[in-house]
Amino acid sequence: MKKDIHPDYHEITIVMTDGTSYKTRSTYGKAGDTLRLDIDPKSHPAWTGIHRLVDSGGQLAKFKKRFSGLGIKN
């Protein structure tokens, strides 16, 4: 096996959308970093059956502004 080609595998904290957290090992970031999730199994429509629109990048607002005159009400 080649030396020094594998990423650092360390402990990080995962924070779910409801605020709960747990520790796991990952190659994400640095040791002790926190990964905050936007969507997880507790909030994803595939598992909850509740569909909601997530607009993390402003694309939904841009779409609504562009097509606001078509007469479709939300």
Side-chain angles (χ1 to χ4, degrees):
M1 204 156 72
K2 293 182 181 180
K3 294 183 184 220
D4 300 325
I5 64 167
H6 299 287
D8 181 34
Y9 192 62
H10 48 268
E11 190 172 271
I12 64 168
T13 303
I14 306 291
V15 179
M16 307 287 264
T17 56
D18 66 351
T20 60
S21 64
Y22 64 93
K23 293 192 182 280
T24 189
R25 294 184 55 83
S26 175
T27 58
Y28 171 82
K30 299 177 292 215
D33 278 355
T34 301
L35 176 63
R36 296 186 183 281
L37 301 178
D38 291 332
I39 297 177
D40 61 19
K42 295 179 182 180
S43 65
H44 195 281
W47 288 281
T48 63
I50 300 169
H51 298 283
R52 63 183 175 97
L53 299 173
V54 177
D55 189 17
S56 59
Q59 293 297 316
L60 183 60
K62 186 177 177 182
F63 177 85
K64 285 182 178 181
K65 182 179 176 185
R66 176 183 270 174
F67 297 105
S68 64
L70 292 179
I72 300 171
K73 303 293 181 203
N74 51 355

